[in-house]
């Protein structure tokens, strides 16, 4: 019975392969400066289907903000310098090499010669200059624009010759080449008209004809079916070849199904309608692992992610707001020993076990074990201790009444609520565990689940909350994206937003350290500076760090070169190298 | 017939008494976590051990192994009846420690298994039922009261009254309530006590829910008011209120009872949606709504069958209420003819 | 004034009222479309506020409503922030699928419920009646989401049907007939889920109202006259007992666009459900309001049909409903 089912599956797949065969790859010619992926091998053919949680909203790389759109667009576009998701280091992409001036302000990029967009049109420096003009245009409001404005000044781009571009930064910037990652190079010949007419924002919507869209990524648009799927096909002119000098990508087609939720992703995967899931929750991962006998799958646990979940107390300046009840509690929240006591009482191991089914790691600082390059391993990992927490509270003149309730120095019982997004089951569970943990200190904690945007609104705008469980990070391993979280003037300085002056010496020190690391070009020195930042954060606990989930992914056993990374986009970063194994190959791989 | 009614009464009293005395019937504190036993299957009651039969059932402890939980048979724990245990408040007033049954520490008896925090599902179903059933019934009464008043008035007076009231129902049925709920939540204080949550649930559901019953009632009233006896009563000078109360209301009673039996479980489940907006019963307090919401997760639904317990409890409640509605219906019919 | 004229005026009032209240509600709800960007430390608040003003979100409620009205008159119904496109075409491309699913579901629902309801009433107290009652209690008490996920899980595990979506990947190459089959097989599960949920309610109501009529003297008399059982039930009893059923039919029609949203989301049906849910949570207000307006139109239509049927079924109403009292 099983054999018959497998045979039919094979026949269907073969039929699918024959029918779906898109454009065949162009033979590499000597005029092209192609990138050779040394270790990669595979073979052509096949369609890979991925279930995505939602529908992309646009195919315009400059204005896309949602992760789903960016995931699809990322396969169709390429950047000048790319961050290799496996090594977390930069590597040449459309720029085959680059030089940095000794002061770290001038970058000269050498573009690949002879390569073409997915519509066959050649790519050169004019496209680069055009792309940056679009990204930096105030009227386009690209979310990437802020990256390119350093100290309020934009970086300048000049064309040196047809294949050389020069970037000048307003001041030295550490790891500046990482800025180029994710900035898709646009085809000037297709987009200039709409840009000049001021209609760039409407360009490349989902209904744009496939022939109007071209990029330098491994795939190009084939078809969009509203509400159902986006089908990409091979870009026959892609600029990478494998170890056999065969042009990548291997896949004929890459299909994104819109399935709605993670549970639906899992069900579609189990039903064999999709072949890969990018980021699984531990519940679903463990489910698939338990059912291994029934469902053959390549399960990948890539270890801790870069995301950090934390509990933050509201220390915002509430004088202009009418929030007296919260303001009264802020004297607790501003007390370091109070925060230390809370941190000491939280059972992080239980969080990892019960929330992440052991597929996660406890956190005591903002950089977790997943970020091997930057983590400060000297930060202590104290065991959970209710006694230590009680000592801390006692020394901060808190006391307990007959019923075991915690009272502050004025005799007011300690009671506060934690808000968290109701759509995130994991954080809801964390809140329930913390509520129980803190009840051992005599604190009465209320868990208040709110809809996601209502949480954001309270934390960023109205400040009408007492404590919140949230998560940040996960984008890049480098410290620079964290600038806005830890510096006083930062826009994600959640515990105290719009702070004009550093409230305390340690915050002042962090400001200085973060600024300094940003202009320090030497990795060793930067690491020292950032280690000190991590130490200060762990000592003063503006956030109480909880845990980080592992990056979990799954693929059908027939997907070859499946190597997920801990950085977004987790499984599809090497989409050009993925291929479909023959049944014999996949049996051998098992 | 009499035997049926008797068994119905027994079921009704049994259901509500169990819920009312949840603290006594349940062996555990519904909020108490046991972090070593998340998702433990139901504790098995044993009567036979290696040596002999026992009249008194006993249990083993669960131990976690690599392939899930197994019974640790080194030590057995007899089940005690009417025994001491965790403190609770009987009927919300009296401090008490007595439980219907229980086992000695360190063993635990979880008749319906445990949830993701190792909390006893049986105790949670019982204590959750208190707030859920009460809120479900209160909300149903509110919605049906409002619905039948507006429906009867609309159907009885017709014309402009009918048009405007039915226009209002259409308006209520079309609005994006989710945004309204979000707005309401923003105006409320962060933490809501269970009593306030109860009131809020009732009012919100009543407010959103009255429109459907109103339309159904109005449909019946439209035809009922032109029946001969109504016309006759009217020509004798019966006042409008008298006519509506005496002649129209009995016509819609059957409908209202059917609606009630359908709406009570619906409204209990509505809490699942409301808790998404922060309007539900919050942890660690149990309610059938927040227990059911974990069942929406595929991995939970297919892995831990015992977590279906709140759904089963709701089905039982719903069946009992529907039989009650039918019985009342036929009784009232009987009386009116 | 004619009956239809009155209904038209009421519909106009309704649409205006719904749109105004929609704007008020959206104003009440905290959060905006661009809030998610606040979580990204690399995007500055200036960029966010400039985006807000581009889409006119910083304007007053009255100005926004005025703009929306103008765009509604141009049949655009506003502009979706997420999709950067007018709302009407976005809605229409999915409304077709929703209508296909919901209409099928509705037909099946009524085909199942009418005979089942009448039959259960005719054999009240027997096995069939009891099982109908238990089944409907079951379906009413367990939230639709849980039922849907459970059914999906069964289908996935038994591999009896394709899961989710509407067409398969390679539907380009299929013949017309094969494509139809494909759509039908993918539509089966959502249709069943819809039917189960709806029928539970309708059967209950029908059973109760038929039972009520069966007790009345005229039926006893008709029985005495020896009218056949089937004929009695369906020709004489059903029309008299139909009132709640007709009102429910009105709801069914009114809910053609809005009733299947949840099922669509869970089954991945490419209708309005996923679109509107996503838009609601991401505060893409104009898309939501567009969807609401469209379903309000169906509400008006459905209730009109129900009222006309009420008149047709019971001629006595006509005198009351149409004339002055």
């Amino acid at each position: 019975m099983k054999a018959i089912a497998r045979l039919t599956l094979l026949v269907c797949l073969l039929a699918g392969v024959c029918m779906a065969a898109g454009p065949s790859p162009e033979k590499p010619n000597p005029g092209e400066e192609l990138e050779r992926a040394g270790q990669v091998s595979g073979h052509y053919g096949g369609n890979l289907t991925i279930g995505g949680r939602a529908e992309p909203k646009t195919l315009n790389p400059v204005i896309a903000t949602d992760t789903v759109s960016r995931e699809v667009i990322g396969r169709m576009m390429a950047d000048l310098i790319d961050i290799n998701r496996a090594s977390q280091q930069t590597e040449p992409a459309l720029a085959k090499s680059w030089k940095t001036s000794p002061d770290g302000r001038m970058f000269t990029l050498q573009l690949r010669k002879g390569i073409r967009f997915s519509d066959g049109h050649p790519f050169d420096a004019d496209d680069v200059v055009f792309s940056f003009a679009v990204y930096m245009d105030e009227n386009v409001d690209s979310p990437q624009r802020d990256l390119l404005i350093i100290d309020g000044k934009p970086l300048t781009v000049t064309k040196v010759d047809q294949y050389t571009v020069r970037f000048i930064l307003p001041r030295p910037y550490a790891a500046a080449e990482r800025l180029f990652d994710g900035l898709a190079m646009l085809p000037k010949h297709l987009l200039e008209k709409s840009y000049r007419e001021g209609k760039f924002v409407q360009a490349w919507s989902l209904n744009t004809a496939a022939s109007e869209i071209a990029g330098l990524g491994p795939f190009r648009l084939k078809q969009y079916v509203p509400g159902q799927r986006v089908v990409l096909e091979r870009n026959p002119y892609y600029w990478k070849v494998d170890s056999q000098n065969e042009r990548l990508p291997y896949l004929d087609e890459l299909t994104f199904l819109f399935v709605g939720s993670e549970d639906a992703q899992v069900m579609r995967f189990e039903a064999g309608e999709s072949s890969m899931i990018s980021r699984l929750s531990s519940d679903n991962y463990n489910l698939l692992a338990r059912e291994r006998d029934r469902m053959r799958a390549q399960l990948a646990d890539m270890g801790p992610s870069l995301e950090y979940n934390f509990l933050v107390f509201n220390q915002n300046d509430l004088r202009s707001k009418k929030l007296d009840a919260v303001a009264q509690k802020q004297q607790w929240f501003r007390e370091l020993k109070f925060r230390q006591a809370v941190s000491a009482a939280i059972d992080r191991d239980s969080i990892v076990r019960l929330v992440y089914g052991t597929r996660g790691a406890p956190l005591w600082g903002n950089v977790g074990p997943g970020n091997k390059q930057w983590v400060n391993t000297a930060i202590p990992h104290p065991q959970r201790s209710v006694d230590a927490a009680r000592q801390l509270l006692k020394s901060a003149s808190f006391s307990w009444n007959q019923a075991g309730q915690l009272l502050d120095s004025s005799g007011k019982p300690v009671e506060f609520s934690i808000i968290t997004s109701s759509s995130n089951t994991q954080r809801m569970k964390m809140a329930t565990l913390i509520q129980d943990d803190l009840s051992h200190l005599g604190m009465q904690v209320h868990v208040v689940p709110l809809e996601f945007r209502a949480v954001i609104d309270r934390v960023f705008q109205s400040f009408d909350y007492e404590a919140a469980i949230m998560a940040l990070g996960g984008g890049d391993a480098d410290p620079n994206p964290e600038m806005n979280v830890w510096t006083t003037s930062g826009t994600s300085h959640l515990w105290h937003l719009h702070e004009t002056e550093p409230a305390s010496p340690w915050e002042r020190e962090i400001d200085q350290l973060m600024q300094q690391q940003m202009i320090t070009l030497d990795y060793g020195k930067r690491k020292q500076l950032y280690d000190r930042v991590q130490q200060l954060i762990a000592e003063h606990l503006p956030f109480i760090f909880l845990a980080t989930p592992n990056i979990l992914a799954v693929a059908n056993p027939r997907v070859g070169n499946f190597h997920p990374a801990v950085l977004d986009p987790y499984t599809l970063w090497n989409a050009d190298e993925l291929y479909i194994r023959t049944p014999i190959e996949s049996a051998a791989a098992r | 017939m009499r035997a049926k009614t008797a068994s119905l009464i027994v079921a009704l009293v049994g259901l509500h008494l169990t819920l009312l005395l949840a603290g006594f019937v349940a062996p555990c504190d519904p909020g108490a976590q046991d972090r070593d036993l998340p998702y433990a299957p139901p504790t098995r009651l044993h009567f036979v051990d290696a040596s002999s039969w026992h009249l008194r059932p006993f249990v083993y402890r669960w131990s976690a192994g690599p392939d899930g939980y197994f019974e640790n048979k080194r030590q057995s724990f007899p089940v005690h009846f009417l025994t001491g245990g965790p403190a609770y408040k009987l009927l919300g007033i009296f401090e008490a420690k007595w439980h219907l049954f229980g086992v000695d520490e360190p063993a635990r008896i979880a008749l319906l298994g445990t949830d993701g925090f190792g909390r006893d599902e049986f105790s949670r179903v019982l204590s959750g039922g208190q707030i859920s059933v009460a809120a479900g019934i209160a909300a149903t009464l509110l919605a049906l009261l409002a619905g039948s008043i507006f429906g009867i008035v609309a159907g009885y007076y017709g014309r402009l009254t009918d048009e405007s009231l039915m226009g209002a129902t259409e308006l209520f049925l079309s609005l994006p309530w989710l945004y309204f709920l979000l707005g309401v939540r923003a105006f409320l204080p962060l933490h809501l006590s269970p009593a306030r949550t109860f009131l809020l649930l009732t009012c919100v559901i009543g407010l959103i829910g009255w429109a459907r019953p109103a339309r159904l009632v109005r449909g019946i009233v439209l035809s009922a008011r032109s029946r001969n006896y109504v016309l006759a009563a009217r020509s004798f000078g019966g006042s409008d209120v008298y006519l509506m109360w005496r002649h129209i209301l009995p016509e819609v009673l059957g409908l209202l009872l059917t609606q009630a039996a359908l709406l009570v479980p619906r409204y209990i489940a509505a809490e699942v949606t409301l808790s998404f907006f922060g309007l539900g019963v919050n942890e660690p307090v149990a309610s059938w709504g927040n227990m059911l919401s974990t069942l929406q997760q595929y991995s939970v639904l297919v892995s831990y069958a015992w977590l279906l317990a709140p759904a089963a409890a709701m089905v039982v409640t719903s069946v009992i209420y529907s039989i009650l509605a039918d019985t009342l219906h036929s009784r009232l019919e009987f009386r009116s003819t | 004034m004619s009956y239809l004229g009155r209904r038209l005026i009421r519909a106009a009032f309704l649409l205006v009222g719904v749109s105004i209240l929609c704007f008020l509600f959206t104003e009440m709800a905290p959060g905006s479309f661009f809030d998610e960007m606040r979580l990204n430390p690399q995007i500055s608040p200036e960029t966010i506020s400039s985006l807000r003003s581009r889409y006119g979100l910083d304007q007053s409620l009255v100005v926004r409503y005025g703009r929306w009205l103008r765009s509604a008159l141009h049949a655009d119904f506003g502009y979706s922030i997420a999709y950067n496109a007018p709302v009407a075409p976005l809605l229409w491309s999915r409304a077709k699928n929703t209508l296909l699913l919901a209409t099928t579901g509705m037909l099946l629902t009524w085909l199942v419920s009418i005979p089942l309801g009448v039959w259960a009433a005719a054999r009240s107290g027997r096995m069939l009646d009891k099982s109908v009652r238990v089944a409907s209690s079951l379906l009413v008490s367990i939230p639709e989401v849980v039922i849907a996920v459970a059914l999906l899980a069964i289908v996935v595990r038994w591999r009896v049907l394709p899961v989710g979506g509407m067409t398969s990947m390679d539907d380009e190459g299929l013949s017309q007939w094969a494509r139809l089959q494909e759509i039908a097989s993918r539509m089966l599960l959502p249709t069943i889920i819809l039917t189960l949920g709806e029928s539970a309610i309708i059967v209950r109501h029908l059973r109760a109202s038929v039972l009520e009529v069966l007790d009345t003297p005229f039926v006893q008399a008709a029985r005495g006259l020896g009218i056949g059982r089937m004929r009695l039930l369906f020709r004489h009893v059903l029309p008299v007992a139909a009132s709640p059923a007709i009102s429910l039919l009105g709801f069914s029609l009114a809910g053609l666009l809005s009733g299947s949203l949840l099922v669509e989301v869970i089954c991945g049906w490419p209708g309005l459900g996923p679109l509107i849910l996503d838009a609601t949570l991401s505060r893409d207000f104009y898309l939501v309001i567009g969807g609401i307006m469209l379903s309000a139109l169906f509400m008006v239509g459905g209730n009109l049909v129900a009222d006309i049927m009420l008149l047709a079924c019971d001629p006595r109403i006509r005198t009351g409903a149409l004339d002055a009292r």
Side-chain angles (χ1 to χ4, degrees), chain C residues 86-97:
Chain C
V87 163
L90 278 172
L91 287 176
W92 182 237
S93 62
R94 287 154 178 91
K96 287 182 289 189
N97 298 339

Side-chain angles (χ1 to χ4, degrees), chain A residues 55 141 146 270 451 484, chain C residues 41 44 47 50 94 159 283:
Chain A
E55 184 170 17
D141 282 322
D146 296 321
E270 288 197 36
E451 188 260 352
N484 273 324
Chain C
S44 69
T47 304
S50 137
R94 287 154 178 91
R159 304 215 165 200
R283 311 285 195 280

Side-chain angles (χ1 to χ4, degrees), chain A residues 278-483:
Chain A
S278 213
R279 226 193 133 172
L280 273 171
S281 71
S282 54
D283 288 337
N284 281 321
Y285 183 92
N286 290 338
L287 173 75
L288 289 173
R290 273 199 300 276
E291 307 201 332
R292 250 207 174 113
D293 316 329
R294 194 171 60 79
M295 276 286 311
R296 289 195 189 284
Q298 303 184 61
L299 290 157
D301 181 343
M302 306 312 294
S305 70
L306 305 187
E307 171 189 308
Y308 48 93
N309 288 279
F310 56 89
L311 173 71
V312 58
F313 287 106
N314 181 355
Q315 299 187 49
N316 286 295
D317 183 356
L318 300 179
R319 270 171 300 185
S320 59
K321 314 243 172 190
K322 290 191 181 106
L323 294 168
D324 295 338
V326 182
Q328 278 177 12
K329 297 181 183 181
Q330 281 187 320
Q331 51 166 322
W332 313 330
F333 304 156
R334 295 206 171 102
E335 170 63 57
L336 175 61
K337 283 178 177 153
F338 177 84
R339 299 198 301 272
Q340 285 172 331
V342 168
S343 177
I346 290 176
D347 184 358
R348 292 178 175 78
D349 290 333
S350 283
I351 293 181
V352 171
R353 229 160 23 87
L354 299 184
V355 177
Y356 293 131
T358 70
R359 298 195 185 273
L363 282 184
W364 287 269
N366 60 318
V367 183
N371 193 345
K372 297 192 177 63
Q373 209 182 341
W374 293 101
V375 62
N376 179 356
T377 45
I379 286 181
H381 295 177
Q383 281 295 307
R384 178 201 188 201
S385 167
V386 176
D387 291 335
R390 283 177 168 263
Q391 284 304 322
L392 280 162
L393 288 171
K394 209 176 276 174
S395 65
S397 59
F398 284 88
S399 57
W400 286 269
N401 67 8
Q402 292 289 313
Q405 260 185 320
L406 183 68
L407 307 175
D408 69 1
S409 50
S410 63
K412 227 178 105 204
V414 175
E415 176 187 357
F416 62 89
S417 45
I418 299 178
I419 60 170
T420 187
S421 163
S422 54
S423 50
N424 190 306
T425 354
Q426 279 96 16
R427 267 171 240 150
M428 292 267 292
K429 274 187 152 181
M430 286 182 206
T432 309
L433 289 170
I434 290 172
Q435 177 184 47
D436 196 62
D437 284 336
L438 296 185
S439 73
H440 295 297
L441 295 181
M443 296 184 189
Q444 198 180 0
V445 178
H446 309 293
V447 177
V448 180
L450 295 171
E451 188 260 352
F452 174 65
R453 266 158 225 259
V455 174
I456 305 272
D457 189 67
R458 282 178 193 257
V459 172
F460 282 88
Q461 298 263 295
S462 70
F463 301 155
D464 184 6
Y465 74 102
E466 289 161 1
I469 295 182
M470 304 189 59
L472 282 174
D476 186 10
D478 197 75
N480 280 346
E482 294 276 289
M483 282 293 288

Side-chain angles (χ1 to χ4, degrees), chain A residues 19 47 49 54-57 63 65 138-143 146-147 201-202 205-206 223-224 226-229 255 257 259 264 267-268 270-273 287 291 294-295 451-454 456-457 460-461 470-472 481 484-485 491-492, chain C residues 30-45 47 50-51 54-55 79 82-84 93-94 97 149 152-153 156-157 159 162-173 186 265-268 270 275 278 281-283:
Chain A
M19 251 183 318
N47 178 352
T49 308
E55 184 170 17
K57 307 292 183 285
I63 60 160
T65 52
E138 284 191 355
N139 297 317
V140 175
D141 282 322
S142 169
D146 296 321
L147 282 176
V201 180
Q202 281 96 317
S205 75
L206 288 167
Q223 187 199 23
Y224 160 68
Q228 295 197 68
R229 61 183 174 268
T255 303
L257 288 182
V259 302
M267 287 190 261
R268 293 271 186 116
E270 288 197 36
E273 299 202 1
L287 173 75
E291 307 201 332
R294 194 171 60 79
M295 276 286 311
E451 188 260 352
F452 174 65
R453 266 158 225 259
I456 305 272
D457 189 67
F460 282 88
Q461 298 263 295
M470 304 189 59
L472 282 174
N484 273 324
V485 184
T491 51
S492 306
Chain C
S32 92
F33 180 81
F34 299 105
D35 274 351
E36 199 166 8
M37 293 167 80
R38 289 183 201 278
L39 273 186
N40 183 343
Q42 300 187 338
I43 300 175
S44 69
T47 304
S50 137
L51 278 168
R54 151 132 25 107
Y55 292 98
Y79 193 80
Y83 288 85
N84 262 303
S93 62
R94 287 154 178 91
N97 298 339
V149 174
L152 268 172
V156 165
R157 268 129 209 275
R159 304 215 165 200
V163 191
M166 177 169 159
T167 52
S168 72
M169 229 72 68
D170 42 1
D171 71 329
E172 303 287 278
R186 281 168 195 266
V265 170
I266 296 164
C267 295
L275 186 78
D278 203 21
L281 294 182
S282 67
R283 311 285 195 280

Side-chain angles (χ1 to χ4, degrees), chain C residues 26-275:
Chain C
T26 53
E27 182 74 6
M28 276 171 70
S32 92
F33 180 81
F34 299 105
D35 274 351
E36 199 166 8
M37 293 167 80
R38 289 183 201 278
L39 273 186
N40 183 343
Q42 300 187 338
I43 300 175
S44 69
E46 289 75 36
T47 304
I48 294 176
S49 63
S50 137
L51 278 168
R52 280 177 64 90
S53 72
R54 151 132 25 107
Y55 292 98
L57 296 181
D58 52 350
Q59 302 286 328
S60 75
L61 192 63
V62 181
V63 174
R64 271 185 288 149
Y65 186 67
R67 284 187 186 172
W68 179 82
L69 266 187
R70 202 177 334 139
S71 128
L73 292 178
H74 287 103
D76 274 353
F77 288 93
Y79 193 80
S80 157
I81 307 171
Y83 288 85
N84 262 303
V87 163
L90 278 172
L91 287 176
W92 182 237
S93 62
R94 287 154 178 91
K96 287 182 289 189
N97 298 339
T98 294
L99 280 179
L100 174 66
L101 176 67
T103 317
T104 322
M106 192 187 93
L107 289 178
L108 196 63
T109 303
W110 287 90
L111 277 177
V112 171
S113 323
I114 292 179
L116 214 57
V118 174
W119 198 18
R123 315 184 131 235
S124 88
R126 302 219 205 141
M127 221 25 231
L128 176 92
D129 183 37
K130 279 182 185 163
S131 41
V132 162
R133 185 149 63 193
V134 171
S136 82
S137 289
L138 193 96
L139 293 169
V140 174
S141 354
I142 303 178
E144 204 174 21
V145 187
V146 176
I147 294 181
V149 174
L151 282 179
L152 268 172
I154 291 171
V155 166
V156 165
R157 268 129 209 275
W158 292 355
R159 304 215 165 200
V160 276
L161 283 174
V163 191
M166 177 169 159
T167 52
S168 72
M169 229 72 68
D170 42 1
D171 71 329
E172 303 287 278
L174 295 177
S175 71
Q176 208 66 10
W177 174 240
R179 261 171 101 162
L180 264 180
Q181 272 185 312
E182 178 72 38
I183 292 178
S185 72
R186 281 168 195 266
M187 205 163 78
L188 194 58
L189 193 70
T191 315
I192 289 176
I193 298 170
L194 272 179
T195 308
L196 286 177
E198 279 280 285
S199 332
I201 298 172
I202 298 170
V203 167
R204 270 290 180 84
H205 274 291
L206 259 176
R207 177 188 169 277
S209 53
V210 168
L211 212 55
E212 204 166 307
V213 177
L214 280 177
D215 282 346
T216 53
F218 98 85
V219 178
Q220 314 284 357
R223 267 201 193 131
L225 288 174
I227 297 179
R229 190 173 146 143
M230 277 297 165
R231 195 179 148 81
L232 178 76
L233 278 176
F234 286 91
R235 278 296 301 274
H236 300 279
V237 174
L238 188 59
V240 182
S243 170
I246 289 171
S247 300
L248 285 168
L249 180 72
F251 292 144
S252 287
L253 287 170
L256 275 183
L257 272 188
S258 50
S260 59
L261 298 191
L262 203 64
V263 173
E264 288 179 16
V265 170
I266 296 164
C267 295
W269 185 257
L272 288 173
L275 186 78

